[in-house]
Structure formats: structure tokens, C-alpha cells
Amino acid sequence: MSKPSPEVYEQGKGMDAHNAVMREVRSRNDSTYDPREPTRVWIDEDNTPDGVYQSLTIILNTGGCRWARAGGCTMCGYVAESVEGGSVAHEDLMAQIDHCLDHEAEEADDESGLIKIYTSGSFLDEREVPAETRQAIAETFSDRERIVVESLPDFVEDERVSDFVDVGLETDVAVGLETATDRVRHDCVNKYFDFADFEDACEAAQEAGAGVKAYLLMKPPFLSEREALDDMIASVRRCAGVEGCHTVSMNPCNVQRYTMVEELYHDGGYRPPWLWSVAEVLKETADVSGSEATGGSSDEQSESDGEDLIVVSDPVGHGSDRGPHNCGECDDRVQRAIKDFDLRQDPSVFEQVSCECEATWEAVLERERSYSLPLAR
């Protein structure tokens, strides 16, 4: 695993301080989970470079993210739902897959063309999902069309990705980049790697015959609404300039249990992002392509360079106080517009929604400062 540089890991400061807080917060969790049942499974629709697919999304219950065991990301509570003990046996992980297939058979008329598999950390980390299990899962879904597996950049290696490519699956590696700004990733998210590591992972995925889906985090702690919005627009554009990255999924931060974000939220120091901010980022980046994102107008960056980047968002917990929300009256309408945009990539959908609370949001963008946020709940 990549390691933080000395300046961000100095004892009692930076990531070391963040990790100490996160370990203390997570120590309060005393829940236990069945290693033979997945954390979650659901049927949805997703936009891909090959069009819209019905998707089967699986969150496997593993021993938890390696980085989270050290302390981990300020906003991530998924490790709190992990199996105690640090590992789950191959047979139990495959029982979870069987559970998900049963769910699909009960809830969907047809098999899903797209399979998305996540864990609380990295699916490609063999401490979480052994090679034997990874290969068995690849065989299980070899009759589907496309698969997404999530991983930190460290574990994106040819032999691990090739298990899926070699059985004929169009394969995407989902990387939790969170932001293209290293300082925000280090200081606000408490994630150890740099943007250069993400670029290396994209190159490794391409060499294995796979693509990359970057996950960004809208409004980590310690950023104002304006800072978060601007960071997301810049991050989407920078991702578009990385060869091999064809999709960006922008996840608005929500308040998960046993996290630093939850501590700040209860103390009045954090508000999840406005749905208007999510819509604004999608509108502003709707026409981003690889060639446009790199800037300039040289011969190497002609109009034929770079395909359009797919930019989507799935605001989890929308409309609730702990999730991305507006005033409460318009939240469902804006959420539907976001989902419509995800599938059609047409920013005109946002012209169909409006609300008086837009004026409050605009005032927040203008007046809120990091040291005194949030200006409005």
C-alpha cells in the first residue's frame, strides 16, 4: 500500500492526528454482522460507455478496509459494518454471492447485464477478497456483459484485473479518488495517496484491458459550499484528462455513523451539500471530454481527441438532514432530475426544477466561509 509522505504523517499531526480521532470514534461500535450475508444488494440502472444497463449492485461483507483499520477516511462508516476479526472465508463470501443472485431472481424480471461489486475497502485487496474468491466470482458472472469492481489504486494490478477481462467481461475498476486536489484528499478526507497514483492505476487498468470509473466526494468536511462546488468542477475536468478514465461518479457526502463527519455534524460544524450544488456541478461539466479537460489547442488536441466523459451522481439519503438536501420541499424533484441526467446526460433536465430556496443556496455560496460553516442547515 502507498504510504503518506513524512510531512503529512508527522506524529500527532496531519494524518496521524486524523487517524487517532477516527480510531477512537470507531471503537464505540459494538455491532456484529453475519459473514454469510452481504452488507447490501439492490437492482438499479446505470449509464456506461456501452449504454444504460440494468445493474445488480453488491456490497460484500468483508473484514474491512485496510486503511480504515489504521483510522481511515473522515466520512466513511462502511468499516463499521464489516465482519469482526479482519477476514471472511472464501465459502462465506461465495454464500454472499449466492444470496445476491437469489435477490436478483426475486426482484428482477431478467438478469442484469451490469454487475457492480464493492466492499468496505478494496475488492482487489487480497486481504479482503482472496484470489480464489475473486476468480470464482469472475466465473460466476462470466455470462454477463459488464462488471465494476472497486479498489484503491495500490491494488490495481494486471493479474487481478485480468481475471474478469479474460472471461469476456467488459471490466471497469472503480477508484475512490474523492478529489483531484491532493491537499483536500489528504487534509479533509484523510486519504493517503496522490493524484499521480490514480493516474498510475488508470494506466495499469488500461494495460489489463479495463477502464476506470472515478468516484469523487462532494463536500468533505472543512470545506465551504463554494469551495466544495469549485473543487468538484475542477476535479471532474482533471479526471477527464486522464486516459482510461471514462466515467466520474460524484458522491455527495452524507453523515455516516462512527465517523469524524458525524462528530462535526452533531457539534454544528458540518452540513451535507445542497442538492443545488450537485446539480450545478453536473450542469457545468456536462460537455467535458478528454481533449477539453487537458486545455490548450495544439495539434495533439484536435476535435477528434477524447470521448465525452460520463458524469453521474447518486445522492444517498437525499432529503434527510444527514444526507444532501435543500429545503425539504424540492428535494425529491431535484433528485429525480439528477437521476434523469445520469441516464440521459442532458443538462436541460435541471431547467424543469426550481424553488425559492435557491436564493438561500446562492447566499450560502457567496457568504459561507470554511472557518464559520455551515451558514445554513
Side-chain angles (χ1 to χ4, degrees):
M1 175 179 282
S2 303
K3 293 185 178 180
S5 59
E7 61 268 21
V8 298
Y9 208 71
E10 186 178 351
Q11 186 173 3
K13 299 180 180 179
M15 288 185 176
D16 187 55
H18 275 334
N19 284 337
V21 172
M22 293 299 297
R23 286 194 297 271
E24 192 282 323
V25 170
R26 288 188 171 128
S27 69
R28 305 169 195 169
N29 177 36
D30 58 1
S31 301
T32 58
Y33 296 90
D34 187 342
R36 296 181 64 82
E37 292 189 4
T39 301
R40 287 182 197 84
V41 56
W42 69 90
I43 307 291
D44 205 347
E45 284 187 312
D46 282 85
N47 202 347
T48 78
D50 294 329
V52 175
Y53 283 94
Q54 175 182 293
S55 59
L56 173 64
T57 301
I58 298 167
I59 303 181
L60 290 176
N61 199 347
T62 68
C65 174
R66 193 188 303 196
W67 178 240
R69 295 294 179 189
C73 300
T74 55
M75 77 297 175
C76 183
Y78 292 127
V79 71
E81 299 177 315
S82 299
V83 172
E84 190 175 0
S87 63
V88 177
H90 167 75
E91 294 76 14
D92 290 337
L93 289 169
M94 294 310 297
Q96 292 184 42
I97 294 295
D98 289 340
H99 177 100
C100 295
L101 290 171
D102 290 342
H103 174 85
E104 181 186 42
E106 293 172 4
E107 299 296 327
D109 294 332
D110 302 301
E111 289 186 339
S112 303
L114 172 63
I115 306 298
K116 298 161 61 183
I117 304 182
Y118 305 93
T119 68
S120 70
S122 294
F123 179 85
L124 297 181
D125 181 355
E126 293 183 351
R127 288 192 188 181
E128 280 196 73
V129 180
E132 175 190 14
T133 309
R134 184 178 69 241
Q135 292 156 8
I137 290 174
E139 289 295 335
T140 298
F141 294 112
S142 61
D143 60 339
R144 308 301 176 95
E145 297 178 56
R146 196 174 197 103
I147 195 164
V148 177
V149 294
E150 184 180 29
S151 180
L152 287 166
D154 310 62
F155 311 112
V156 183
E157 299 176 359
D158 184 280
E159 62 270 21
R160 303 184 188 196
V161 177
S162 294
D163 285 337
F164 302 96
V165 175
D166 290 348
V167 298
L169 283 164
E170 290 291 332
T171 304
D172 295 318
V173 180
V175 177
L177 175 64
E178 316 306 355
T179 170
T181 308
D182 287 344
R183 184 175 180 184
V184 173
R185 190 182 316 101
H186 295 161
D187 294 349
C188 299
V189 182
N190 196 44
K191 214 160 199 172
Y192 58 88
F193 64 84
D194 294 334
F195 189 78
D197 298 310
F198 169 73
E199 293 176 305
D200 291 344
C202 289
E203 183 178 355
Q206 270 199 303
E207 290 175 354
V212 170
K213 181 178 185 179
Y215 278 93
L216 299 180
L217 180 70
M218 173 77 187
K219 201 179 180 184
F222 316 121
L223 295 184
S224 69
E225 195 78 18
R226 168 57 71 183
E227 289 168 338
L229 190 155
D230 291 344
D231 181 62
M232 282 295 94
I233 293 174
S235 294
V236 171
R237 294 187 180 280
R238 195 171 180 194
C239 286
V242 179
E243 189 174 355
C245 178
H246 56 64
T247 301
V248 168
S249 179
M250 178 181 63
N251 295 327
C253 189
N254 58 73
V255 181
Q256 298 180 10
R257 297 183 67 195
Y258 305 112
T259 63
M260 186 184 293
V261 165
E262 186 181 48
E263 296 289 291
L264 292 167
Y265 166 79
H266 285 312
D267 288 341
Y270 182 77
R271 182 206 192 274
W274 290 69
L275 289 169
W276 293 126
S277 294
V278 177
E280 184 69 14
V281 174
L282 296 176
K283 286 191 291 184
E284 287 296 315
T285 60
D287 60 349
V288 171
S289 69
S291 59
E292 294 172 45
T294 57
S297 56
S298 66
D299 293 339
E300 291 82 6
Q301 295 169 348
S302 66
E303 291 184 5
S304 61
D305 289 342
E307 296 181 358
D308 286 345
L309 185 76
I310 298 172
V311 184
V312 298
S313 184
D314 183 16
V316 175
H318 82 278
S320 68
D321 197 51
R322 294 173 70 103
H325 62 276
N326 290 339
C327 65
E329 295 295 323
C330 64
D331 295 42
D332 286 344
R333 297 198 306 274
V334 179
Q335 172 80 353
R336 285 195 296 270
I338 291 169
K339 185 63 176 177
D340 194 7
F341 175 86
D342 289 352
L343 299 179
R344 298 199 289 127
Q345 298 288 284
D346 180 2
S348 68
V349 298
F350 298 115
E351 298 173 5
Q352 312 304 315
V353 289
S354 63
C355 182
E356 291 181 355
C357 73
E358 283 183 88
T360 304
W361 167 69
E362 290 168 354
V364 167
L365 290 179
E366 180 181 352
R367 301 176 186 178
E368 187 176 77
R369 299 292 181 267
S370 299
Y371 60 80
S372 59
L373 63 84
L375 183 61
R377 296 290 287 185

